[in-house]
């Protein structure tokens, strides 16, 4: 197999495991991650002082909540504000949320065991549910105790509502007026949280999202909007091929461009620093760089696909094995064989990568989308030559992340700090990636190929299932490998296959880790983006070949999983599954669990020409059911499912990132096509009532839409789309 390991020759800062651990230890971080971990809520031990860790109350009654999780549009700031407001009894108009960072004890993600701060795996609400309710309750109790002490009355006689403390005597005070005294109160030994029947804002349909006004009027600041006195702007000339390095460069023409201040080499290329963005970009155009491409990845997508398919003929690492799949298939009455191809996908967030760095005395300040702040703090401290406690992170809201801002080598943070250091810290530096930089800069959803063989007995039951996969492992070769890769298997490659809930007694899954020079990264819903598609379309094909209704087959296979059955039954009921469809319209059903959340989806499609399915189709409606535990913000849950459906639909209809001779072919939204507004279907979401802890909805809406549409198309044509995107073989 001609798959060379070029991953470590990519010209970029790559902290070693030891470097990372030394830096992390300085911030109090001891990483023992297993992505994604979602067990019981971790216990925190003694509660921190809420006024130190999570809540700041100003004299004007403004309540600022410091969030342990970064908001990239998914609405976690609003969810966390809801949790605090419920117990604090603060008024909606008083609330402001900002990102917190720099203290793992306060902000460590409890879904990851609390050992590191980070936003990912749809874990923000799971991690925050107890922590922020307790913070609100503790702060309210301390405010009431302060009022009781000031007024000389028992604390039990104090009431708190909408940011005001009151007593039957007529005495009252705002939270802002009592905040200083409350901060001096001892931390209560214990606090009782409200029971569910007392909740007023958790689960409310009317508790309006905090940032909607700012965003809809254009007043929300993102990293791209940061302006500091004397700030310079930088762009970087990156190698055109992954793995190439700077051999030499001539900056004379670039420096002659009006506004260009400096040209400096950094670990990932050459930075052009200027007084403004336009000058920096024009300076980069004038720059001459001679690249050393001896270690570069020069294969294209076609070559990689061919090598992947050849590799699947050989056994891989065993990810799951129960029963004897080979014997079941050998003795089967019918055998279904299928090969699936999934392209590289870009994250393509609306706000490209950006960050700002400034040295303020002996403190390095960095503004950006800090999705993994502990890591970024440790790595940038090493570059700047300061201790991690001297790195202050300003956590900015971000115009879309989808996983791109959680980078194991801290790419944009490394680049901006290296650039600012290279010019002697003489001015703050804003580093910007253009859309083309972002599209061609790597960190993609990996290219994957699946080969599946399923045997059916005479009654149409699954007698054996053999499943092989090949693709790049996201965490192999990163500082997280020793913590998150077991027996050579990266869980993000096989999730959704090795842990399927379907009762398949003879089941074997294998994975081969392809080693290429194309940088990859988790992409919204990670491995589930391809595993759900394969599993759910194959289940439908099993039903079709066996003469079974796909809902009834799933019910049989999930009979021991009541949570999944409830979601399946709800979505089938709400979509009116089984009812006669108008001519030229078809539907497909899917059920999938990711990140602890179960989502069912029924996609309705309408053929452009009922007599000719090849003429294309439109997805007209998607009915969803979701069990994500306690519904903190129902409207936000629906919004995230809708967004996930749109995001996932665009990816299966049109999106693919290809390489030719190692060069990325797509550069902007004209050639890499996200979903267009006229393609967005009506999405109807039904939430399963639950008293379990909340899971997440930022990602689980993505995996279901692709196979649901594919199953609808298969109902129309009898054929399953196995090569994505659909535009390669189906009219869309």
């Amino acid at each position: 197999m001609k798959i060379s390991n070029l991953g470590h020759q990519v010209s970029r800062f790559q902290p070693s495991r030891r470097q990372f651990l030394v830096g992390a230890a300085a911030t109090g971080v001891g990483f023992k991650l297993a992505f994604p971990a979602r067990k019981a809520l971790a216990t925190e031990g003694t509660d921190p002082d809420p006024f130190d860790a999570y809540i700041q109350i100003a004299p004007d009654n403004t309540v600022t909540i410091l969030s342990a999780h970064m908001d990239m549009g998914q609405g976690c700031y609003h969810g966390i504000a809801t949790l605090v407001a419920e117990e604090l009894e603060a008024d909606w108009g008083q609330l402001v949320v900002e990102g917190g960072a720099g203290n793992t004890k306060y902000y460590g993600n409890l879904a990851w065991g609390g050992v590191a701060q980070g936003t990912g795996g749809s874990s923000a609400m799971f991690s925050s549910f107890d922590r922020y309710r307790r913070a609100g309750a503790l702060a309210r109790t301390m405010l009431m105790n302060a009022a009781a002490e000031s007024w000389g009355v028992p604390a039990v006689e104090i009431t708190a509502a909408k940011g005001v403390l009151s007593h039957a005597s007529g005495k009252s005070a705002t939270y802002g007026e009592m905040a200083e005294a409350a901060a001096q109160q001892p931390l209560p030994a214990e606090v009782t949280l409200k029971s569910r029947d007392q909740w007023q804002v958790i689960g409310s349909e009317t508790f309006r999202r905090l940032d909607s006004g700012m965003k809809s009027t254009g007043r929300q600041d993102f990293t791209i909007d940061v302006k500091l006195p004397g700030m310079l702007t930088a762009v970087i000339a990156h190698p055109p091929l992954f793995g190439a390095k700077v051999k030499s460069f001539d900056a004379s023409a670039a420096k002659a461009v009006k506004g260009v201040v400096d040209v400096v080499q950094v670990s990932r290329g050459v930075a052009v620093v200027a007084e403004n963005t336009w000058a920096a970009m024009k300076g980069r155009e004038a720059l001459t760089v001679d690249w050393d491409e001896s270690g570069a990845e020069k294969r294209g997508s076609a070559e990689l696909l061919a090598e992947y398919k050849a590799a699947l003929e050989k056994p891989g690492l065993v990810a799951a094995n129960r029963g004897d799949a080979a014997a079941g298939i050998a003795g089967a009455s019918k055998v279904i064989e299928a090969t699936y191809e999934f392209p590289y996908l870009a994250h393509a967030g609306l706000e490209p990568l950006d960050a700002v760095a400034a040295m303020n005395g002996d403190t390095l300040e960095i503004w950006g989308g800090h999705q993994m702040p502990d890591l970024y703090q440790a790595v940038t401290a090493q570059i700047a030559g300061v201790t991690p406690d001297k790195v202050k992170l300003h956590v900015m809201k971000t115009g879309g992340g989808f996983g791109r801002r959680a980078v194991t080598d801290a790419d944009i943070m490394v680049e901006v700090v290296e650039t600012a250091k290279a010019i002697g810290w003489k001015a703050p530096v804003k580093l910007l990636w253009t859309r083309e930089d972002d599209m061609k800069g790597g960190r993609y959803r990996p290219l994957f190929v699946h080969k599946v063989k399923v045997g059916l007995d005479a009654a149409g039951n699954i007698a054996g299932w053999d499943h092989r996969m090949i693709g790049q492992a996201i965490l192999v070769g990163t500082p997280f490998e020793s913590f998150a890769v077991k027996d050579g298997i990266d869980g993000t490659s096989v999730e959704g296959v090795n842990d399927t809930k379907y009762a398949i007694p003879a089941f074997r899954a294998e994975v081969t880790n392809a080693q290429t020079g194309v940088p990859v990264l988790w992409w919204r819903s990670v491995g589930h983006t391809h595993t759900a598609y394969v599993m759910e379309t194959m289940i439908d094909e099993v039903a079709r070949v066996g003469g079974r209704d796909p809902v009834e087959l799933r019910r049989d296979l999930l009979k021991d999983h009541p949570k999944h059955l409830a979601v399946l039954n709800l979505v089938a009921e709400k979509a009116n599954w089984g009812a006669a469809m108008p001519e030229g319209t078809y539907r497909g059903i899917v059920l999938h669990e990711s990140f602890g959340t179960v989502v069912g989806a029924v996609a309705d499609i309408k053929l452009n020409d009922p007599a000719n399915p090849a003429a294309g189709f439109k997805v007209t409606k998607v009915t969803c059911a979701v069990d994500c535990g306690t519904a903190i913000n129902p409207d936000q849950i629906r919004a995230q499912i809708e967004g996930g459906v749109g995001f996932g639909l665009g990816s299966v209809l049109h999106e693919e990132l290809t390489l030719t001779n190692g060069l990325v072919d797509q550069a902007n939204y004209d050639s890499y096509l996200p979903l267009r507004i006229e393609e967005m279907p009506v999405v109807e979401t039904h939430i399963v009532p639950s008293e379990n802890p909340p899971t997440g909805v930022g990602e689980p809406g993505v995996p279901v839409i692709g196979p649901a549409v594919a199953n609808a198309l298969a109902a129309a044509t009898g054929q399953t789309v196995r090569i994505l995107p659909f535009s390669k073989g189906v009219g869309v």
Side-chain angles (χ1 to χ4, degrees), residues 398-623:
T398 300
F402 315 121
R404 184 60 183 89
R405 309 263 175 180
V407 193
T408 57
D409 69 359
D411 56 357
I412 188 70
M413 305 306 165
V414 167
E415 290 183 353
V416 72
V417 174
E418 285 183 341
T419 301
K421 181 181 179 180
I423 65 170
W425 308 110
K426 63 184 178 183
V429 172
K430 177 189 286 185
L431 179 67
L432 296 173
W433 283 32
T434 64
R435 172 67 54 210
E436 290 75 14
D437 293 337
D438 209 29
M439 199 71 73
K440 291 177 173 285
R443 310 303 196 275
Y444 309 120
R445 196 283 302 272
L447 174 76
F448 254 88
V449 177
H450 291 237
K451 184 176 182 180
V452 187
K453 185 183 292 186
V454 179
L456 306 182
D457 65 19
N461 299 312
I462 299 174
W465 185 303
D466 184 77
H467 198 136
R468 292 185 177 183
M469 299 162 273
I470 182 170
Q472 287 169 262
I474 294 168
L475 291 170
V476 170
T478 75
F480 296 101
E481 180 174 1
S482 61
F483 311 121
V485 178
K486 183 178 181 181
D487 299 327
I489 297 175
D490 183 339
T492 65
S493 294
V494 299
E495 59 188 359
V497 170
N498 69 324
D499 55 356
T500 180
K501 296 298 189 297
Y502 290 125
I504 304 173
F507 181 87
R508 184 178 179 88
E510 298 178 2
V511 64
T512 297
N513 296 330
Q515 304 288 331
T516 81
V518 182
V520 295
L521 189 64
W522 25 59
W523 185 92
R524 191 176 182 184
S525 75
V526 204
H528 298 282
T529 60
H530 51 93
T531 60
Y533 189 96
V534 177
M535 292 298 298
E536 288 300 309
T537 56
M538 286 301 297
I539 288 291
D540 247 51
E541 190 151 350
V542 167
R544 192 162 56 250
V545 171
R548 303 280 302 277
D549 178 85
V551 172
E552 290 305 322
L553 175 60
R554 286 176 171 84
R555 283 174 177 152
D556 286 348
L557 295 175
L558 294 169
K559 60 186 177 181
D560 295 327
H561 296 280
K563 177 179 176 178
H564 296 69
L565 272 176
V567 175
L568 176 64
N569 289 335
L570 180 61
V571 75
E573 173 196 340
K574 296 299 184 181
N576 199 18
W577 181 266
M581 298 288 289
E583 183 184 3
T585 62
Y586 299 86
R587 57 181 20 173
I589 193 164
V590 159
L591 185 86
H592 189 73
E593 177 183 357
S594 59
F595 309 101
T597 292
V598 181
V599 179
V602 173
D604 292 357
I605 68 169
K606 183 177 182 180
L607 301 180
N608 294 337
D609 180 357
N612 179 21
F617 68 95
K618 177 177 174 56
V619 183
T620 57
K621 183 179 181 180
V622 180
T623 305

Side-chain angles (χ1 to χ4, degrees), residues 64 104 183 275 300 345 363 375 409 436 544 580 617 624:
T64 300
T104 306
E275 295 173 353
L345 293 176
T363 299
L375 171 60
D409 69 359
E436 290 75 14
R544 192 162 56 250
F617 68 95
C624 294

Side-chain angles (χ1 to χ4, degrees), residues 62 70 99 118 156 265 287 310 321 368 445 486 553 629 658 666 720:
T62 299
M70 172 193 170
V156 295
Q265 184 173 348
L287 180 67
N321 189 31
R445 196 283 302 272
K486 183 178 181 181
L553 175 60
T658 59
Q666 293 74 26
T720 299

